Amino acid sequence: EAGVTQFPSHSVIEKGQTVTLRCDPISGHDNLYWYRRVMGKEIKFLLHFVKESKQDESGMPNNRFLAERTGGTYSTLKVQPAELEDSGVYFCASSQVSRRNTEAFFGQGTRLTVV
Amino acid sequence: DAKTTQPTSMDCAEGRAANLPCNHSTISGNEYVYWYRQIHSQGPQYIIHGLKNNETNEMASLIITEDRKSSTLILPHATLRDTAVYYCIVSYGQNFVFGPGTRLSVLP
């Protein structure tokens, strides 16, 4: 069974450009989470989807970040326009919604570098 | 802020048991204790989680004190590949708050 898949693995863009990150959760997992680690900081929660609905987006840093999960399958995280401080590693995780306190599985992350 | 306190780093000899402590004195009644690890820059890897009973799986054992204010992750026979940063997280649901974790170095 495939795990959580993230694409691309690396992205280098210029300040002001737009980047879209994609996450494919484990099949059957309705919970989908985005996290990120910026340089020198801990991993931080960004938002949580249950199917296509945003359950909690309290961690989104500002309105330059837009997350979508149309159809409740894969999710995208768009950064527009990107700023230097957005550089970091963006992780996606998924889990079964039927069991709230079950394990969440993380993808390998997308390393974003804004120059 | 993370609700857990862990040592910054620990060493363990290869083949010996690694015991990683975690304090979570403000844990709520419905919060679980989760352990994840991160090897290099890979995504966090799930290890184990529990509510109040001790848990064991193929990777590790989790010992939670009766008052639930602390726990210990036990890797029974550490190998070089267990060198990683280990995160102890208390949470209801998976909106995790990660702290800095414990950097475990397994030495040959």
Side-chain angles (χ1 to χ4, degrees):
Chain A
E1 179 181 336
V4 177
T5 305
Q6 294 188 244
F7 182 83
S9 56
H10 294 84
S11 180
V12 181
I13 62 171
E14 293 184 352
K15 176 182 173 181
Q17 288 187 321
T18 298
V19 63
T20 300
L21 314 180
R22 171 168 171 150
C23 169
D24 285 73
I26 292 172
S27 178
H29 282 192
D30 288 334
N31 281 322
L32 188 149
Y33 304 84
W34 283 99
Y35 290 81
R36 76 170 181 176
R37 164 178 266 156
V38 296
M39 184 68 71
K41 301 289 182 64
E42 280 99 44
I43 299 171
K44 295 290 188 184
F45 165 80
L46 295 179
L47 88 159
H48 169 206
F49 283 100
V50 177
K51 297 185 179 179
E52 67 275 10
S53 299
K54 293 177 184 176
Q55 191 77 8
D56 180 353
E57 51 184 329
S58 60
M60 294 288 265
N62 52 61
N63 59 10
R64 294 185 294 102
F65 289 75
L66 175 64
E68 295 180 321
R69 193 181 181 196
T70 306
T73 54
Y74 70 90
S75 174
T76 58
L77 180 65
K78 183 192 309 188
V79 185
Q80 179 182 30
E83 298 289 344
L84 299 179
E85 63 265 24
D86 300 331
S87 295
V89 184
Y90 290 75
F91 295 106
C92 175
S94 73
S95 68
Q96 293 178 311
V97 74
S98 59
R99 299 166 57 197
R100 184 179 180 115
N101 286 286
T102 184
E103 58 267 39
F105 297 96
F106 283 76
Q108 291 304 296
T110 292
R111 180 173 296 278
L112 174 65
T113 303
V114 183
V115 297
Chain B
D1 292 348
K3 296 181 66 174
T4 61
T5 304
Q6 299 177 251
T8 303
S9 63
M10 293 181 64
D11 292 339
C12 176
E14 186 179 18
R16 303 297 295 270
N19 296 277
L20 289 85
C22 179
N23 288 320
H24 32 80
S25 59
T26 61
I27 189 170
S28 300
N30 61 356
E31 289 182 316
Y32 280 65
V33 180
Y34 290 82
W35 282 85
Y36 280 78
R37 72 181 182 183
Q38 191 173 26
I39 299 173
H40 297 300
S41 299
Q42 298 177 16
Q45 179 188 21
Y46 169 79
I47 302 173
I48 199 166
H49 76 291
L51 181 62
K52 54 184 178 181
N53 296 323
N54 297 339
E55 301 287 344
T56 296
N57 63 21
E58 65 277 6
M59 288 183 69
S61 294
L62 172 60
I63 308 298
I64 303 174
T65 58
E66 191 169 346
D67 63 8
R68 302 210 321 127
K69 292 185 177 182
S70 65
S71 60
T72 301
L73 177 74
I74 301 172
L75 306 178
H77 305 287
T79 71
L80 299 179
R81 289 176 293 181
D82 292 322
T83 292
V85 178
Y86 287 75
Y87 299 99
C88 171
I89 302 164
V90 295
S91 181
Y92 180 69
Q94 290 105 31
N95 299 14
F96 297 140
V97 178
F98 284 82
T102 295
R103 181 171 297 277
L104 176 68
S105 298
V106 180
L107 308 175

